[in-house]
Amino acid sequence: QVQLVESGGGLVQSGGSLRLSCAVSGRTFGSYAMGWFRQAPGKEREFVAAISGSDSSTRYADSVKGRFTISRDNAKNTVVLQMNSLKPEDTAVYYCAAGRARWGPYDYWGQGTQVTVSS
């Protein structure tokens, strides 16, 4: 069965870095669209970053562009979100998602990992 497991969340000081990883089960991982989303308390879930199936093209929300980098290792069935220059407004639960087309839609979701950025 397709399952996604996030890791790497935690508490970090403003300006610091965190690396989130998402391990995905699935025989066709290389063709999956992969994305990261986040949800802060009292706010809607928002898009953070995505990497396409097949050609690994990337897209980013304007709020994280230049600070976050999404990548994938198809041999290890893993997608990574490298987060640099973190700000308190980045505090949220971060979710990994997978879809079966180039850019989704996303059919599978991880359980989430908490990222807290202190001032």
Side-chain angles (χ1 to χ4, degrees), residues 21-82:
S21 295
C22 177
V24 184
S25 67
R27 298 175 63 183
T28 58
F29 173 79
S31 66
Y32 291 175
M34 298 298 304
W36 287 95
F37 297 78
R38 67 188 183 187
Q39 187 168 24
K43 298 181 67 177
E44 298 284 341
R45 182 185 65 185
E46 66 174 340
F47 168 78
V48 176
I51 185 164
S52 70
S54 299
D55 67 354
S56 297
S57 297
T58 58
R59 296 175 178 173
Y60 298 93
D62 288 343
S63 60
V64 307
K65 197 171 299 182
R67 300 188 297 121
F68 291 10
T69 303
I70 188 171
S71 61
R72 68 193 299 160
D73 186 337
N74 291 338
K76 297 181 179 179
N77 280 25
T78 301
V79 62
V80 167
L81 184 68
Q82 178 66 47

